[in-house]
Amino acid sequence: EPVFHRDIKSANVVLSADFNPKLIDCGLARFTGGVKAAGTVATAAGAALGTPGYMCRRYCQSGKFEAKSEIFSFGVLMLEVATGRLQGTDDRFLEDEAEESVADPRAGAWPIECFGGFRQVAESCVGEYKGRVGSMLVVMRELKGLVEGHCKPSEEELLQERELARLQGECDAGRADKALVERMREDLSANREALAAHRAVQVAAQVLRDEQVA
C-alpha cells in the first residue's frame, strides 16, 4: 500500500541555505477519526484531508484519496514554483490558468524549452481526472529528463567552484587575499543567479523524491 503525504503545498517545502529542499509535515497521512491539523478541513466524515486549493476537486467530492489526488497537489506546487504565484491568490487558481502560465521573472531567464516542458508536466498533473497522469514515477521520469537536459552546471561554473574552494582554504590559512576570494564568490553568485530558473526544476524533482520516500 502506498503512503500518501496528503498535504503537499509550498508551505510544507523548506529550503536549506544551499537550496536543498525538504518536504515536511508528514503527519496528516496518519491522522484518523476527528483529529484535525491547523489549516486543514474535513471534507468527509472521520478524516482531515488537506489544505483548500491543493486538494483535487474529485477528492473533495468523494472523500476517496488516491495517487491522482496526490499528483494534483504536486502539480499545483509545480505551478507555484514556475510562476511565483501562490494558489488561490485573488481567488485565482493556478490549475485553471495552467496553459497561460508565464515564468516568474524573479527566477531569471528560463530557456523556452525548459519552461515549456516544466509547464507541460505540471499540466499533466492538474488536468481533468480521466486524463491526469496516474503515477508519480511518470512525473519523476519527466522531471529527471528536464534536469538532465537543462540543469547541469557548466564547465566554467565547476571550475569556478573548485577555484573558490581552493582560495577559501588558502584564505583560512592566511595565505590568500580575502578581497580576491570575495570577488570570485560574487562572480560565482552571479552565475548561480542566472541559473535560478534551472534550479526550480531541480527543487521540484527533489521534492518529488522526498515525497516518494515518505
Side-chain angles (χ1 to χ4, degrees):
E1 289 289 330
V3 176
F4 298 117
H5 185 278
R6 287 179 176 249
D7 201 18
I8 293 178
K9 57 183 178 179
S10 51
N12 282 341
V13 179
V14 296
L15 296 175
S16 64
D18 54 354
F19 288 95
N20 285 318
K22 296 295 180 183
L23 187 62
I24 62 171
D25 195 5
C26 300
L28 188 57
R30 297 192 296 272
F31 289 164
T32 58
V35 179
K36 293 177 65 176
T40 68
V41 297
T43 60
L49 301 176
T51 302
Y54 297 86
M55 300 190 306
C56 169
R57 292 169 187 173
R58 182 184 179 96
Y59 172 41
C60 292
Q61 295 169 356
S62 69
K64 180 182 178 182
F65 196 93
E66 55 185 318
K68 288 188 176 183
S69 310
E70 191 95 309
I71 289 168
F72 175 86
S73 302
F74 185 74
V76 173
L77 172 61
M78 287 183 63
L79 290 172
E80 288 183 319
V81 169
T83 65
R85 293 169 47 200
L86 287 176
Q87 174 75 322
T89 302
D90 299 325
D91 293 324
R92 296 170 63 186
F93 294 91
L94 297 176
E95 67 271 21
D96 296 334
E97 305 174 6
E99 291 184 7
E100 294 79 32
S101 296
V102 295
D104 181 2
R106 296 170 299 179
W110 285 70
I112 295 177
E113 291 184 2
C114 180
F115 181 76
F118 191 83
R119 183 174 62 188
Q120 186 175 13
V121 176
E123 288 178 28
S124 72
C125 293
V126 300
E128 292 297 325
Y129 180 84
K130 288 185 178 179
R132 187 181 307 158
V133 62
S135 170
M136 278 289 195
L137 292 177
V138 174
V139 180
M140 180 179 288
R141 282 196 295 267
E142 294 292 334
L143 286 175
K144 184 178 180 181
L146 289 173
V147 169
E148 292 175 350
H150 299 281
C151 302
K152 291 181 178 179
S154 65
E155 285 296 325
E156 180 182 0
E157 185 179 19
L158 292 173
L159 286 173
Q160 281 186 315
E161 288 181 342
R162 286 195 289 268
E163 181 64 10
L164 178 59
R166 184 186 67 79
L167 285 174
Q168 184 64 60
E170 292 189 1
C171 181
D172 293 342
R175 298 194 302 270
D177 181 12
K178 289 185 178 180
L180 177 61
V181 174
E182 286 305 313
R183 283 198 299 272
M184 178 162 285
R185 194 185 306 277
E186 289 173 2
D187 289 342
L188 184 58
S189 177
N191 285 344
R192 284 174 172 165
E193 185 173 344
L195 291 171
H198 301 180
R199 184 56 177 158
V201 181
Q202 293 174 309
V203 165
Q206 180 64 51
V207 169
L208 181 53
R209 284 195 293 272
D210 286 349
E211 197 278 333
Q212 288 285 309
V213 171

